[in-house]
mmCIF file with all atom_site columns, all heavy atoms in Angstrom:
data_model
loop_
_atom_site.group_PDB
_atom_site.id
_atom_site.type_symbol
_atom_site.label_atom_id
_atom_site.label_alt_id
_atom_site.label_comp_id
_atom_site.label_asym_id
_atom_site.label_entity_id
_atom_site.label_seq_id
_atom_site.pdbx_PDB_ins_code
_atom_site.Cartn_x
_atom_site.Cartn_y
_atom_site.Cartn_z
_atom_site.occupancy
_atom_site.B_iso_or_equiv
_atom_site.pdbx_formal_charge
_atom_site.auth_seq_id
_atom_site.auth_comp_id
_atom_site.auth_asym_id
_atom_site.auth_atom_id
_atom_site.pdbx_PDB_model_num
ATOM 1  N N   . LEU A 1 178 ? 207.811 -40.631 38.727 1.00 97.00 ? 375 LEU A N   1
ATOM 2  C CA  . LEU A 1 178 ? 206.886 -39.565 38.280 1.00 97.00 ? 375 LEU A CA  1
ATOM 3  C C   . LEU A 1 178 ? 207.517 -38.222 38.556 1.00 97.00 ? 375 LEU A C   1
ATOM 4  O O   . LEU A 1 178 ? 207.343 -37.283 37.766 1.00 97.00 ? 375 LEU A O   1
ATOM 5  C CB  . LEU A 1 178 ? 205.552 -39.708 39.003 1.00 97.00 ? 375 LEU A CB  1
ATOM 6  C CG  . LEU A 1 178 ? 204.712 -40.979 38.651 1.00 97.00 ? 375 LEU A CG  1
ATOM 7  C CD1 . LEU A 1 178 ? 203.511 -41.151 39.542 1.00 97.00 ? 375 LEU A CD1 1
ATOM 8  C CD2 . LEU A 1 178 ? 204.285 -40.975 37.180 1.00 97.00 ? 375 LEU A CD2 1
ATOM 9  N N   . ALA A 1 179 ? 208.226 -38.095 39.679 1.00 96.00 ? 376 ALA A N   1
ATOM 10 C CA  . ALA A 1 179 ? 208.920 -36.850 39.962 1.00 96.00 ? 376 ALA A CA  1
ATOM 11 C C   . ALA A 1 179 ? 209.994 -36.531 38.924 1.00 96.00 ? 376 ALA A C   1
ATOM 12 O O   . ALA A 1 179 ? 210.116 -35.388 38.465 1.00 96.00 ? 376 ALA A O   1
ATOM 13 C CB  . ALA A 1 179 ? 209.585 -36.951 41.357 1.00 96.00 ? 376 ALA A CB  1
ATOM 14 N N   . ALA A 1 180 ? 210.644 -37.582 38.458 1.00 95.00 ? 377 ALA A N   1
ATOM 15 C CA  . ALA A 1 180 ? 211.687 -37.381 37.427 1.00 95.00 ? 377 ALA A CA  1
ATOM 16 C C   . ALA A 1 180 ? 211.052 -36.989 36.090 1.00 95.00 ? 377 ALA A C   1
ATOM 17 O O   . ALA A 1 180 ? 211.695 -36.364 35.244 1.00 95.00 ? 377 ALA A O   1
ATOM 18 C CB  . ALA A 1 180 ? 212.479 -38.696 37.238 1.00 95.00 ? 377 ALA A CB  1
ATOM 19 N N   . ARG A 1 181 ? 209.780 -37.356 35.921 1.00 97.00 ? 378 ARG A N   1
ATOM 20 C CA  . ARG A 1 181 ? 209.072 -37.078 34.660 1.00 97.00 ? 378 ARG A CA  1
ATOM 21 C C   . ARG A 1 181 ? 208.385 -35.730 34.667 1.00 97.00 ? 378 ARG A C   1
ATOM 22 O O   . ARG A 1 181 ? 208.131 -35.157 33.600 1.00 97.00 ? 378 ARG A O   1
ATOM 23 C CB  . ARG A 1 181 ? 208.024 -38.183 34.454 1.00 97.00 ? 378 ARG A CB  1
ATOM 24 C CG  . ARG A 1 181 ? 207.338 -38.191 33.093 1.00 97.00 ? 378 ARG A CG  1
ATOM 25 C CD  . ARG A 1 181 ? 206.318 -39.268 33.004 1.00 97.00 ? 378 ARG A CD  1
ATOM 26 N NE  . ARG A 1 181 ? 205.778 -39.365 31.670 1.00 97.00 ? 378 ARG A NE  1
ATOM 27 C CZ  . ARG A 1 181 ? 206.247 -40.149 30.679 1.00 97.00 ? 378 ARG A CZ  1
ATOM 28 N NH1 . ARG A 1 181 ? 207.297 -40.930 30.934 1.00 97.00 ? 378 ARG A NH1 1
ATOM 29 N NH2 . ARG A 1 181 ? 205.698 -40.155 29.491 1.00 97.00 ? 378 ARG A NH2 1
ATOM 30 N N   . ALA A 1 182 ? 208.087 -35.245 35.860 1.00 96.00 ? 379 ALA A N   1
ATOM 31 C CA  . ALA A 1 182 ? 207.246 -34.041 36.014 1.00 96.00 ? 379 ALA A CA  1
ATOM 32 C C   . ALA A 1 182 ? 207.763 -32.861 35.189 1.00 96.00 ? 379 ALA A C   1
ATOM 33 O O   . ALA A 1 182 ? 206.994 -32.169 34.539 1.00 96.00 ? 379 ALA A O   1
ATOM 34 C CB  . ALA A 1 182 ? 207.115 -33.664 37.477 1.00 96.00 ? 379 ALA A CB  1
ATOM 35 N N   . GLY A 1 183 ? 209.067 -32.668 35.203 1.00 94.00 ? 380 GLY A N   1
ATOM 36 C CA  . GLY A 1 183 ? 209.610 -31.516 34.507 1.00 94.00 ? 380 GLY A CA  1
ATOM 37 C C   . GLY A 1 183 ? 209.243 -31.484 33.018 1.00 94.00 ? 380 GLY A C   1
ATOM 38 O O   . GLY A 1 183 ? 209.018 -30.438 32.425 1.00 94.00 ? 380 GLY A O   1
ATOM 39 N N   . SER A 1 184 ? 209.140 -32.674 32.388 1.00 95.00 ? 381 SER A N   1
ATOM 40 C CA  . SER A 1 184 ? 208.844 -32.724 30.996 1.00 95.00 ? 381 SER A CA  1
ATOM 41 C C   . SER A 1 184 ? 207.394 -32.514 30.727 1.00 95.00 ? 381 SER A C   1
ATOM 42 O O   . SER A 1 184 ? 206.972 -32.181 29.601 1.00 95.00 ? 381 SER A O   1
ATOM 43 C CB  . SER A 1 184 ? 209.258 -34.135 30.432 1.00 95.00 ? 381 SER A CB  1
ATOM 44 O OG  . SER A 1 184 ? 208.311 -35.115 30.903 1.00 95.00 ? 381 SER A OG  1
ATOM 45 N N   . GLY A 1 185 ? 206.565 -32.799 31.740 1.00 96.00 ? 382 GLY A N   1
ATOM 46 C CA  . GLY A 1 185 ? 205.134 -32.671 31.532 1.00 96.00 ? 382 GLY A CA  1
ATOM 47 C C   . GLY A 1 185 ? 204.542 -33.731 30.620 1.00 96.00 ? 382 GLY A C   1
ATOM 48 O O   . GLY A 1 185 ? 203.402 -33.659 30.173 1.00 96.00 ? 382 GLY A O   1
ATOM 49 N N   . ALA A 1 186 ? 205.344 -34.755 30.303 1.00 97.00 ? 383 ALA A N   1
ATOM 50 C CA  . ALA A 1 186 ? 204.878 -35.813 29.378 1.00 97.00 ? 383 ALA A CA  1
ATOM 51 C C   . ALA A 1 186 ? 203.842 -36.685 30.091 1.00 97.00 ? 383 ALA A C   1
ATOM 52 O O   . ALA A 1 186 ? 204.087 -37.279 31.114 1.00 97.00 ? 383 ALA A O   1
ATOM 53 C CB  . ALA A 1 186 ? 206.075 -36.678 28.943 1.00 97.00 ? 383 ALA A CB  1
ATOM 54 N N   . PRO A 1 187 ? 202.659 -36.761 29.466 1.00 98.00 ? 384 PRO A N   1
ATOM 55 C CA  . PRO A 1 187 ? 201.556 -37.510 30.123 1.00 98.00 ? 384 PRO A CA  1
ATOM 56 C C   . PRO A 1 187 ? 201.917 -38.997 30.309 1.00 98.00 ? 384 PRO A C   1
ATOM 57 O O   . PRO A 1 187 ? 202.695 -39.552 29.530 1.00 98.00 ? 384 PRO A O   1
ATOM 58 C CB  . PRO A 1 187 ? 200.390 -37.395 29.156 1.00 98.00 ? 384 PRO A CB  1
ATOM 59 C CG  . PRO A 1 187 ? 200.764 -36.331 28.201 1.00 98.00 ? 384 PRO A CG  1
ATOM 60 C CD  . PRO A 1 187 ? 202.236 -36.223 28.178 1.00 98.00 ? 384 PRO A CD  1
ATOM 61 N N   . ILE A 1 188 ? 201.345 -39.605 31.328 1.00 98.00 ? 385 ILE A N   1
ATOM 62 C CA  . ILE A 1 188 ? 201.585 -41.079 31.506 1.00 98.00 ? 385 ILE A CA  1
ATOM 63 C C   . ILE A 1 188 ? 200.397 -41.669 32.250 1.00 98.00 ? 385 ILE A C   1
ATOM 64 O O   . ILE A 1 188 ? 199.757 -41.013 33.061 1.00 98.00 ? 385 ILE A O   1
ATOM 65 C CB  . ILE A 1 188 ? 202.895 -41.344 32.272 1.00 98.00 ? 385 ILE A CB  1
ATOM 66 C CG1 . ILE A 1 188 ? 203.318 -42.816 32.187 1.00 98.00 ? 385 ILE A CG1 1
ATOM 67 C CG2 . ILE A 1 188 ? 202.802 -40.872 33.725 1.00 98.00 ? 385 ILE A CG2 1
ATOM 68 C CD1 . ILE A 1 188 ? 204.753 -43.054 32.551 1.00 98.00 ? 385 ILE A CD1 1
#
Side-chain angles (χ1 to χ4, degrees):
L375 293 172
R378 189 182 186 93
S381 72
I385 194 164

